Amino acid sequence: MSAYTDPRTPLVALSGGPKRGRWFFYRDWLELRESTRRMRYPLDHPAGVPRCYLPTEELATNPDLAITAKYGAARTWRWIEPAQWGRWGREYLAPEELDDHDRRTAA
């Protein structure tokens, strides 16, 4: 499986962009991304920044070894410039986000 079809790890580590070096629990990360969609922030707005990250195959270990021991390695999500998302035609949606998106558009 690729990082695009299964990005889930207990932790998410951000690389590049305005939130570089930040860590999130996966569920919290998805909730943050969803909240920026609900508020209808565009990707180039400072509040839309979480949706400009794309999961990679890279894994990161937390500098706090106790966290790494408890949760394991984190999937690294890399910053992609908002203009690039525009050229691609849409933002990346994790599988869980696709499910939520499908439910919202069907209603």
Side-chain angles (χ1 to χ4, degrees):
M1 285 214 179
S2 80
Y4 306 120
T5 58
D6 186 16
R8 189 179 325 185
T9 54
L11 297 174
V12 169
L14 302 184
S15 174
K19 294 195 175 293
R20 70 185 160 278
R22 302 236 175 107
W23 289 68
F24 294 88
F25 286 104
Y26 184 71
R27 262 327 309 163
D28 294 342
W29 175 239
L30 294 183
E31 288 298 323
L32 175 61
R33 290 166 51 87
E34 178 57 28
S35 71
T36 70
R37 280 187 204 96
R38 276 194 311 270
M39 299 300 289
R40 299 185 180 176
Y41 287 113
L43 295 176
D44 61 353
H45 187 280
V49 162
R51 297 187 349 255
C52 290
Y53 284 86
L54 185 66
T56 70
E57 295 293 332
E58 298 171 35
L59 297 177
T61 55
N62 194 287
D64 183 337
L65 297 179
I67 291 174
T68 299
K70 184 171 183 177
Y71 298 105
R75 167 119 19 236
T76 300
W77 289 54
R78 186 163 317 281
W79 167 258
I80 306 293
E81 293 289 333
Q84 180 62 50
W85 292 108
R87 288 189 292 276
W88 286 338
R90 72 173 187 89
E91 66 187 80
Y92 168 77
L93 296 171
E96 298 88 347
E97 293 171 318
L98 278 171
D99 292 345
D100 291 344
H101 178 26
D102 291 344
R103 276 194 293 276
R104 279 194 311 276
T105 55

